Amino acid sequence: MVTWTSVEEELLSLAGSVPDPELPVLTLEELGVVRGVDVSEPEGRVTVRLTPTYTGCPAIEAMSADIERVLHNHGVAEVTVQTVLSPAWSTDDISPEGRRKLAEFGIAPPRPHDAASDGPVPLTLSVRCPHCGSTDTELLSRFSSTACKALRRCVACQEPFDHFKEL
Amino acid sequence: MTAALALGDDALVLSHRLGEWAGHAPVLEEEVALANIALDLLGQARLLLSLVGDEDELAYLREERAFRNIQLVEQPNGDFAHTIARQLYFSVHQQGLYEQLAAGDGRFAGIAAKAVKEVAYHRDHAEQWTLRLGDGTDESHQRMQRAVDALWRFTGELFQPVEGVDVDWQALHSRWLETVTDVLGRATLTVPTGPQSGAWTAGAGRQGIHTESFGRMLAEMQHLHRSHPGASW
Ligand SMILES: [Zn+2]
């Protein structure tokens, strides 16, 4: 017999398998934005809790639509995607596998927050070039193609690259 | 409801002003940076205005006198130095305000905790530009000084207590002054000495009294929605 908990786990992994609309190498689970799934009895209505990376992130609507579509295709009739803000998403929520994929894709992954500092900005670890691995890199612009990335250049291999900045 | 409207309108109006730089910024990287900051602010505005009512109706169908934003954020972009000075004054304030709200357990705590991390980047951006322009060429120094002077009289309104926003406004003000004094000093700029508000501006924006250019900004912001109600693409 199937218990509700295992159903919820299955739905959670389905919702989490949706690729991020802007960084399709990552799934929503790896990005750390799916916060949970609830199944209400007896109607079987499914609520997925999703948190935005940035408050103004335009991808949240596409994410919601994709989650609804995937669950509909799985036979769930009623799906609601609920946006939750607390606790606020942090780049520390990106899984190790997500970080590996980002680097492979040419985007330097965010550095883990120093436990000692409470602000999002001050960090001392250098950003490693995703192309050649050098730590000799410089900031070109604090904002890149999206708010979540900064534009950097590698001094060693001269290649510009995106850095998923810490939040 | 006034509190959410006040904070939401600040974010909405500044977001629109920054969006006006699209296609006009001095370099492409800067264009992208300003657009990203505008997008963050728009996200805050949507969350805050949704606490009050329908976000689209509030943004596009209110008359000028119904907007509760402070006058600082509605000031025209001017030259790049003006935009940066406005951004410095506002983001230093917003960071302090959101830090306090995030630490509390009021209705804005969740939004503030989310937004304060983004605002730290906005402030860093404004600070770096202030240093670069202030401590740059004679021309950039002059323009940056002119900008911080010109906008100074709008900064008093930042610390006018807003009903329903439960923070220590006095502490907010002194910390703001400390930070701005530090940044301007490092940028070799002089902290303006004049009053932080004119008799006629004190708290006026929060009561719906706005400066001349705001009406034109609203006309541009609202005309599409008003001309084509319910249009989508
Ligand atoms: Zn390299």
Side-chain angles (χ1 to χ4, degrees):
Chain A
M1 195 186 122
V2 184
T3 66
W4 280 116
T5 322
S6 71
V7 168
E8 281 169 358
E9 257 167 36
E10 190 191 351
L11 293 170
L12 187 63
S13 87
L14 272 172
S17 70
V18 169
D20 176 80
E22 283 178 1
L23 291 165
V25 285
L26 288 193
T27 66
L28 298 188
E29 186 191 349
E30 287 158 351
L31 192 59
V33 292
V34 182
R35 285 282 165 80
V37 169
D38 299 309
V39 182
S40 73
E41 293 181 73
E43 313 91 332
R45 189 202 316 256
V46 173
T47 305
V48 179
R49 277 170 286 130
L50 185 68
T51 197
T53 51
Y54 279 70
T55 31
C57 183
I60 192 96
E61 280 156 32
M63 288 180 189
S64 301
D66 288 348
I67 289 175
E68 282 172 23
R69 191 172 37 77
V70 165
L71 294 190
H72 280 316
N73 290 347
H74 189 69
V76 180
E78 275 195 85
V79 183
T80 310
V81 178
Q82 187 192 353
T83 305
V84 292
L85 291 180
S86 304
W89 181 83
S90 147
T91 39
D92 288 348
D93 295 337
I94 301 177
S95 71
E97 177 64 1
R99 283 162 202 275
R100 196 192 57 75
K101 286 187 180 174
L102 278 175
E104 201 177 270
F105 191 59
I107 298 172
R111 294 158 292 183
H113 284 92
D114 176 6
S117 89
D118 52 358
V121 181
L123 287 152
T124 45
L125 268 178
S126 54
V127 179
R128 192 175 287 275
C129 167
H131 306 297
C132 75
S134 167
T135 51
D136 190 6
T137 64
E138 59 185 9
L139 182 69
L140 289 181
S141 176
R142 279 173 180 71
F143 296 88
S144 181
S145 53
T146 58
C148 60
K149 285 173 271 162
L151 189 62
R152 295 185 76 91
R153 179 172 52 207
C154 175
V155 175
C157 75
Q158 299 287 310
E159 284 292 320
F161 65 90
D162 272 336
H163 166 223
F164 203 120
K165 63 192 187 203
E166 296 73 27
L167 191 72
Chain B
M1 288 305 129
T2 25
L5 209 53
L7 303 187
D9 282 350
D10 285 351
L12 174 68
V13 170
L14 187 56
S15 166
H16 189 83
R17 278 298 188 208
L18 290 174
E20 290 174 352
W21 274 105
H24 302 280
V27 287
L28 184 63
E29 286 78 6
E30 200 42 39
E31 175 125 351
V32 171
L34 294 174
N36 275 316
I37 295 170
L39 198 58
D40 286 345
L41 289 167
L42 188 62
Q44 295 173 17
R46 293 186 63 180
L47 292 172
L48 290 161
L49 295 182
S50 295
L51 296 175
V52 183
D54 180 88
E55 48 177 313
D56 282 345
E57 268 177 39
L58 286 166
Y60 297 123
L61 297 176
R62 262 183 305 159
E63 301 290 337
E64 178 180 339
R65 293 294 294 264
F67 277 81
R68 291 291 177 265
N69 55 283
I70 50 171
Q71 293 181 347
L72 174 69
V73 294
E74 75 200 29
Q75 294 312 305
N77 287 337
D79 62 8
F80 189 63
H82 272 79
T83 291
I84 292 303
R86 188 184 59 198
Q87 207 58 29
L88 179 74
Y89 288 162
F90 186 74
S91 59
V92 170
H93 162 69
Q94 209 185 26
Q95 191 180 17
L97 177 70
Y98 281 176
E99 271 171 8
Q100 280 202 38
L101 288 173
D105 55 1
R107 58 199 295 251
F108 301 121
I111 295 174
K114 177 89 201 135
V116 72
K117 303 201 281 176
E118 300 161 8
V119 173
Y121 281 103
H122 303 176
R123 182 207 145 165
D124 184 50
H125 170 263
E127 190 174 321
Q128 298 306 320
W129 269 115
T130 303
L131 296 175
R132 190 161 155 195
L133 295 174
D135 196 12
T137 64
D138 285 348
E139 173 77 10
S140 74
H141 176 87
Q142 253 176 41
R143 287 204 189 198
M144 199 61 220
Q145 186 66 56
R146 208 181 301 153
V148 296
D149 288 346
L151 293 172
W152 187 252
R153 67 193 169 103
F154 295 106
T155 56
E157 205 181 355
L158 290 167
F159 312 103
Q160 197 90 33
V162 176
E163 208 189 314
V165 180
D166 191 20
V167 297
D168 182 346
W169 294 92
Q170 202 83 46
L172 211 56
H173 191 174
S174 50
R175 244 195 82 194
W176 181 90
L177 203 56
E178 221 170 89
T179 306
V180 166
T181 302
D182 169 61
V183 175
L184 295 184
R186 280 188 287 131
T188 72
L189 295 162
T190 310
V191 179
T193 47
Q196 281 187 275
S197 60
W200 54 277
T201 51
R206 293 280 187 241
Q207 287 156 44
I209 298 167
H210 296 284
T211 48
E212 192 187 342
S213 64
F214 186 51
R216 287 197 295 277
M217 192 210 96
L218 273 191
E220 190 173 299
M221 186 176 102
Q222 297 184 334
H223 106 267
L224 194 69
H225 188 89
R226 288 184 186 267
S227 313
H228 305 277
S232 65
W233 62 81

